[in-house]
Amino acid sequence: MKKLYQLLILFISTNVFISAQIRLQSAQLIEDFSVTQIDSFLVAQGVPNGAVDITNPIKAYKITYSTVSWDSSATVATGVVFLPQGNDNCKRPILNYCHGTIIKKIDAPSYKVGEYVVGICFSANGYIAVMPDYLGLGDVSPGLHPYIHAHSEATAVVDMLRASKEWMDSINYSYSDQLFLTGYSQGGHASMAAHRMIQETLPGEFTVTAAAPLSGPYDVSGVQAEVITRDSSYGAPGYLPFVLFSYNMVYSMYSSWDAVLNIPYNGDVPPLMDGSVSLGVVENYIPDTPNLIILPLLLDTFENDMSHRFREALYDNDLYRWAPQCPTRLGYCTADELVSYKNALVCRDSMIARGAPDVQAICVNPSLSHGDCALFALMGINIFFAPFREDVIDLSLNTTHNTSAGSNDGSVITNINGGVPGYTYSWSNAATTANLSNIGTGTYSVTITDINGCTASATANVGVIGIENEPDPITIQIYPNPATDHFTILLSNFKEQAEISMIDLVGKVVLSKSIAVGSDLVIMNTLGMAKGVYLVKISSGNKVITRRVVIR
């Protein structure tokens, strides 16, 4: 075990050096979405209305880049980068999303299928969304994908990030130093592997702002290995041969599948592991109980020999024996039937014991399956990442009306939350100060720009005290968010009765309230409510405002 681990460290060090030499090969525009087209696309994909806060159009580019293979040889890979459009001078954050298990090459994100929609969702909300296909997937990367192989997952992510930055530099597209990492299922494992590599070997090149791996198999040799040994059916039996063939490619454990697989699987399965068919096709040839494909003697040896070479290979790809230094959330659903929630708990406990300052395991929903958990988990981490973003500026204005007509003693005060200080101000009356004072009646608009070139605008109406004036824009604030047993809604400038509805992501109203005119503080009691992501819809007159809230 120790020797294998030492070889792995040398292998990692070599690959990091080589990967520093990579360069972008090509970038091809594959899709261009307006805000309306994004909305229509998400509705067609079954994404609930209001689940994504669409703030901008986007363009999607297929990136082809140089990287290294699992054996340190030079190779190529592909992926997609989604660039938000508009507010061109704003330095936007980068979010890397790692997709879940696929074996068929043309099911990769660069083919605009599957989890491609996740990149659209994040980029429509202002992130530069980066999605690597991984090695062995897409149209140019050769060979079998090295499944649940932490090192090659990490290099594929890191080199995709490098290539994406090179592409953005070449077109003068602004991006910040903020980097968010997330992914679901295998993507949870891959994003965790990339996070570890960046922190331990590339601290001068990248800094992870926050990370949220979701429903990933971090304890491959322990919790997840139970899938191999248990004598019961499993919802995705194809995972086992995928891991076996992947690790045999990387670690050269067996010279013949006749020494590993029972008849007829020794003949049926190998031809299927070339990336031309889906995992569902592979599963048509194997039983629902995965360990039945393995020779009994080999299975018995694996169960009883903790130094078995397959178990050592699994151990090398565990991802819980380190300590992330940035805020990290491990999302899971307790009822997950494919990737046990215990992976997240083992990972959390180990990382905290190693001194990680801010790692939490969060139950997204206790009753959802692996597939159903994904939407809730992704909604939750979008809210988790939001407070760390430097490109989002919340601007509101406080107005003082004139004491009388012609008195010119009105004022407008700006309130800024977010962005990076060093703000400049551009008012509709040509002023460049933070606030306006000694002003007459009228409409005043301001655009503020922070030091990263990100902007926000707002408008205020200044009138005369005692005379009906144009209403200021309606605004709301929700806190705390995430919440546990309650949250508070602060309403501003509501002039009519308001109706508040709390809606789950399947469209069911779970809580509602009517608020009289003049009530500006509303407490929503969520005690006993199922954990998850909800939409809060506030209607007043012809105005409708929707926000997301997470209940933990």
Side-chain angles (χ1 to χ4, degrees), residues 17-37:
F17 174 77
I18 294 172
S19 65
Q21 311 304 312
I22 70 103
R23 290 294 182 267
L24 171 74
Q25 289 197 1
S26 66
Q28 173 191 356
L29 178 67
I30 57 175
E31 213 145 18
D32 188 346
F33 289 98
S34 68
V35 168
T36 301
Q37 289 170 328

Side-chain angles (χ1 to χ4, degrees), residues 236-296:
Y239 286 3
L240 177 55
F242 200 179
V243 170
L244 275 170
F245 277 74
S246 166
Y247 285 8
N248 196 54
M249 175 178 68
V250 174
Y251 297 102
S252 301
M253 297 183 295
Y254 308 106
S255 59
S256 169
W257 290 110
D258 294 339
V260 181
L261 303 178
N262 280 316
I263 298 173
Y265 314 116
N266 60 336
D268 291 345
V269 175
L272 303 174
M273 308 301 289
D274 63 354
S276 64
V277 300
S278 68
L279 208 61
V281 172
V282 175
E283 290 171 348
N284 289 334
Y285 288 83
I286 62 176
D288 291 339
T289 301
N291 68 18
L292 293 178
I293 71 173
I294 301 177
L295 291 171

Side-chain angles (χ1 to χ4, degrees), residues 31-302:
E31 213 145 18
D32 188 346
F33 289 98
S34 68
V35 168
T36 301
Q37 289 170 328
I38 293 170
D39 187 60
S40 299
F41 180 85
L42 297 183
V43 169
Q45 294 293 314
V47 178
N49 285 328
V52 178
D53 185 12
I54 302 172
T55 60
N56 49 259
I58 62 174
K59 290 184 178 182
Y61 294 87
K62 176 184 175 184
I63 300 293
T64 303
Y65 61 100
S66 302
T67 184
V68 289
S69 189
W70 52 267
D71 62 354
S72 300
S73 62
T75 190
V76 291
T78 49
V80 183
V81 59
F82 300 84
L83 299 185
Q85 302 300 298
N87 205 358
D88 293 341
N89 294 321
C90 179
K91 294 181 179 180
R92 298 184 182 274
I94 297 174
L95 181 147
N96 188 94
Y97 178 80
C98 294
H99 65 76
T101 301
I102 54 175
I103 189 173
K104 189 176 182 180
K105 291 180 180 292
I106 63 172
D107 287 342
S110 64
Y111 278 89
K112 302 189 294 185
V113 295
E115 290 171 77
Y116 178 80
V117 64
V118 178
I120 292 174
C121 290
F122 280 118
S123 190
N125 191 231
Y127 290 100
I128 298 165
V130 177
M131 293 185 67
D133 288 340
Y134 308 148
L135 296 181
L137 298 171
D139 63 349
V140 299
S141 191
L144 177 69
H145 167 53
Y147 182 54
I148 308 294
H149 180 237
H151 175 64
S152 61
E153 288 172 334
T155 55
V157 170
V158 167
D159 288 345
M160 177 69 184
L161 288 170
R162 287 170 169 150
S164 297
K165 285 187 172 185
E166 290 182 357
W167 165 240
M168 291 186 287
D169 288 340
S170 73
I171 60 173
N172 296 316
Y173 189 93
S174 298
Y175 58 90
S176 74
D177 292 331
Q178 287 197 297
L179 174 61
F180 298 88
L181 298 178
T182 187
Y184 191 80
S185 194
Q186 183 198 355
H189 187 271
S191 65
M192 185 79 84
H195 188 179
R196 183 181 65 176
M197 175 177 282
I198 288 170
Q199 179 176 301
E200 295 184 351
T201 66
L202 302 169
E205 185 175 357
F206 301 98
T207 299
V208 181
T209 305
L214 307 168
S215 298
Y218 320 114
D219 185 11
V220 185
S221 67
V223 170
Q224 206 59 28
E226 294 177 8
V227 173
I228 301 171
T229 58
R230 68 186 184 197
D231 298 317
S232 59
S233 62
Y234 180 65
Y239 286 3
L240 177 55
F242 200 179
V243 170
L244 275 170
F245 277 74
S246 166
Y247 285 8
N248 196 54
M249 175 178 68
V250 174
Y251 297 102
S252 301
M253 297 183 295
Y254 308 106
S255 59
S256 169
W257 290 110
D258 294 339
V260 181
L261 303 178
N262 280 316
I263 298 173
Y265 314 116
N266 60 336
D268 291 345
V269 175
L272 303 174
M273 308 301 289
D274 63 354
S276 64
V277 300
S278 68
L279 208 61
V281 172
V282 175
E283 290 171 348
N284 289 334
Y285 288 83
I286 62 176
D288 291 339
T289 301
N291 68 18
L292 293 178
I293 71 173
I294 301 177
L295 291 171
L297 180 60
L298 180 61
L299 182 62
D300 181 69
T301 304
F302 174 82

Side-chain angles (χ1 to χ4, degrees), residues 163-496:
S164 297
K165 285 187 172 185
E166 290 182 357
W167 165 240
M168 291 186 287
D169 288 340
S170 73
I171 60 173
N172 296 316
Y173 189 93
S174 298
Y175 58 90
S176 74
D177 292 331
Q178 287 197 297
L179 174 61
F180 298 88
L181 298 178
T182 187
Y184 191 80
S185 194
Q186 183 198 355
H189 187 271
S191 65
M192 185 79 84
H195 188 179
R196 183 181 65 176
M197 175 177 282
I198 288 170
Q199 179 176 301
E200 295 184 351
T201 66
L202 302 169
E205 185 175 357
F206 301 98
T207 299
V208 181
T209 305
L214 307 168
S215 298
Y218 320 114
D219 185 11
V220 185
S221 67
V223 170
Q224 206 59 28
E226 294 177 8
V227 173
I228 301 171
T229 58
R230 68 186 184 197
D231 298 317
S232 59
S233 62
Y234 180 65
Y239 286 3
L240 177 55
F242 200 179
V243 170
L244 275 170
F245 277 74
S246 166
Y247 285 8
N248 196 54
M249 175 178 68
V250 174
Y251 297 102
S252 301
M253 297 183 295
Y254 308 106
S255 59
S256 169
W257 290 110
D258 294 339
V260 181
L261 303 178
N262 280 316
I263 298 173
Y265 314 116
N266 60 336
D268 291 345
V269 175
L272 303 174
M273 308 301 289
D274 63 354
S276 64
V277 300
S278 68
L279 208 61
V281 172
V282 175
E283 290 171 348
N284 289 334
Y285 288 83
I286 62 176
D288 291 339
T289 301
N291 68 18
L292 293 178
I293 71 173
I294 301 177
L295 291 171
L297 180 60
L298 180 61
L299 182 62
D300 181 69
T301 304
F302 174 82
E303 291 180 0
N304 295 290
D305 182 1
M306 292 300 104
S307 62
H308 189 278
R309 50 190 168 179
F310 184 35
R311 192 176 291 278
E312 285 192 347
L314 294 169
Y315 181 89
D316 284 333
N317 293 284
D318 288 338
L319 287 171
Y320 61 86
R321 292 182 291 272
W322 67 294
Q325 295 304 299
C326 73
T328 301
R329 299 294 179 268
L330 308 169
Y332 67 89
C333 284
T334 310
D336 192 324
E337 78 287 11
L338 299 185
V339 181
S340 172
Y341 73 95
K342 295 178 183 178
N343 279 280
L345 303 187
V346 168
C347 193
R348 174 201 62 194
D349 293 347
S350 175
M351 289 175 168
I352 291 174
R354 286 169 165 76
D358 187 7
V359 172
Q360 297 180 32
I362 304 296
C363 179
V364 175
N365 187 291
S367 59
L368 293 180
S369 66
H370 186 71
D372 292 338
C373 184
L375 176 61
F376 285 79
L378 290 168
M379 291 285 292
I381 63 99
N382 194 36
I383 293 174
F384 164 59
F385 286 159
F388 299 100
R389 291 180 63 171
E390 295 177 346
D391 64 311
V392 177
I393 304 173
D394 183 14
L395 172 64
S396 62
L397 305 178
N398 290 341
T399 302
T400 300
H401 296 299
N402 287 269
T403 55
S404 62
S407 62
N408 291 338
D409 56 0
S411 66
V412 182
I413 306 299
T414 58
N415 301 297
I416 302 172
N417 183 26
V420 180
Y423 308 108
T424 60
Y425 304 82
S426 177
W427 290 90
S428 54
N429 66 347
T432 57
T433 54
N435 306 308
L436 298 181
S437 59
N438 300 319
I439 56 175
T441 61
T443 299
Y444 297 86
S445 298
V446 63
T447 296
I448 69 162
T449 305
D450 76 350
I451 201 168
N452 279 338
C454 301
T455 62
S457 300
T459 298
N461 298 295
V462 179
V464 178
I465 295 174
I467 299 177
E468 186 173 348
N469 301 296
E470 286 293 320
D472 288 327
I474 293 173
T475 61
I476 69 168
Q477 296 180 39
I478 295 178
Y479 59 90
N481 189 10
T484 51
D485 55 359
H486 76 281
F487 62 89
T488 300
I489 303 175
L490 177 62
L491 310 172
S492 299
N493 305 318
F494 278 77
K495 306 302 181 183
E496 301 179 61

